[in-house]
Amino acid sequence: MQKVSSDSVELPIHLHAKTIARRLIVAVMCLTLAGALSAYFWLLEFPFPASKWFYELFSLDGELNIPAWYSAFSLLFCSGLLKAITAIKIKDRYFHYWKTLYFIFIYLSLDEAFSFHEILIIPSVRESLHIYPLFFQTWVIPGAVLVGIFAFKYLQFWLNLPHKTRYLFLIAAVVYVSGTLGMEMVGGLLRVDFGRRSLITLTGIVVEEFLEMTGIVIFIYALLAYFSSLRKSLQLKIYISEK
């Protein structure tokens, strides 16, 4: 019988909160500029052949492209950090709050990649109820309700956080929700008043995505800083066997 070695191999990974945040901000700025350029190409109805390819690759309003996958993986990274904090907080009174946050960000990551929320965009409802242009994207109505419920349920949890973490969580939430809900509603108004193919509407889309990505970066920094206050290191063990 082959003897399984009990020797362990260390593969240290050093995560510096400020360094990661800086690099992510650079990535966000690059994606925002590329997205703005792709929107400009779309506005000009693709002045040269490669511009359409560039638009499909970097459009901030598109799916299954580089900005969408970046946002999906950054949200997935948030869920991984939340999972690590949940493992530490297993005996904490707010353990279930951390665990729920972990599942919420798993869903947000999948939604960013596959746009599940667009199922709630129902043109017939919008037309029959004569919904105000701010609710042009009908999914923002249940979205706003869920955000309100979440804020109410998590108020005590948020107040119990350390001052720095509480402050960063609030900024991240305000910036992210301003993009996902606020600018989505403004975008509906702009689309009705100025049309889909207009400079001001496209500017609203760029601002919306920039706020979303920036909010995620702030949250990642907040989670890393908070985690470092709890533990200086995390041991992740992977067991590999033939069977």
Side-chain angles (χ1 to χ4, degrees):
M1 181 181 294
Q2 184 178 2
K3 185 178 179 181
V4 179
S5 175
S6 61
D7 296 336
S8 60
V9 178
E10 290 189 7
L11 298 172
I13 300 175
H14 299 280
L15 301 177
H16 302 283
K18 290 184 178 180
T19 301
I20 290 175
R22 290 193 198 101
R23 290 176 180 175
L24 289 177
I25 282 294
V26 171
V28 167
M29 292 176 66
C30 291
L31 288 173
T32 302
L33 290 173
L37 183 59
S38 72
Y40 180 70
F41 289 154
W42 185 79
L43 187 64
L44 296 181
E45 298 185 8
F46 308 118
F48 50 91
S51 60
K52 187 173 183 180
W53 168 83
F54 188 88
Y55 171 79
E56 292 173 351
L57 199 61
F58 291 102
S59 171
L60 295 173
D61 199 29
E63 300 175 10
L64 302 177
N65 59 10
I66 291 177
W69 284 115
Y70 165 81
S71 294
F73 280 113
S74 60
L75 287 165
L76 189 63
F77 183 51
C78 287
S79 70
L81 293 173
L82 287 166
K83 180 64 174 179
I85 294 173
T86 301
I88 296 173
K89 293 282 187 176
I90 194 166
K91 294 183 179 179
D92 189 88
R93 60 181 292 197
Y94 292 107
F95 165 75
H96 292 290
Y97 288 80
W98 288 108
K99 188 176 181 180
T100 302
L101 270 180
Y102 158 68
F103 285 114
I104 288 174
F105 274 83
I106 285 287
Y107 168 77
L108 289 175
S109 174
L110 293 173
D111 181 68
E112 191 65 42
F114 303 107
S115 299
F116 297 142
H117 67 275
E118 291 191 358
I119 297 174
L120 298 175
I121 300 177
I122 309 173
S124 59
V125 172
R126 179 174 60 216
E127 294 167 3
S128 62
L129 297 180
H130 303 288
I131 296 176
Y132 190 71
L134 282 174
F135 305 111
F136 182 83
Q137 304 285 11
T138 53
W139 74 265
V140 302
I141 300 174
V145 172
L146 289 174
V147 168
I149 294 172
F150 175 85
F152 176 76
K153 292 286 188 180
Y154 270 77
L155 178 60
Q156 195 59 44
F157 165 84
W158 176 71
L159 291 172
N160 189 64
L161 292 170
H163 176 73
K164 180 181 177 180
T165 306
R166 186 165 68 242
Y167 178 71
L168 288 171
F169 272 32
L170 178 61
I171 295 176
V174 169
V175 173
Y176 183 75
V177 174
S178 295
T180 53
L181 279 177
M183 286 306 300
E184 187 80 5
M185 294 167 69
V186 172
L189 181 62
L190 295 176
R191 185 173 299 188
V192 171
D193 290 345
F194 299 96
R196 179 71 177 83
R197 194 183 289 269
S198 69
L199 180 61
I200 190 169
T201 302
L202 293 175
T203 300
I205 292 172
V206 172
V207 172
E208 173 189 336
E209 297 300 324
F210 175 75
L211 289 174
E212 285 185 29
M213 292 187 289
T214 302
I216 297 169
V217 172
I218 297 171
F219 191 60
I220 288 173
Y221 172 73
L223 290 174
L224 285 170
Y226 180 66
F227 186 89
S228 67
S229 69
L230 300 175
R231 294 284 192 279
K232 292 301 179 184
S233 63
L234 173 69
Q235 289 187 348
L236 176 64
K237 293 185 178 181
I238 300 175
Y239 298 94
I240 302 174
S241 62
E242 186 178 352
K243 296 182 180 181

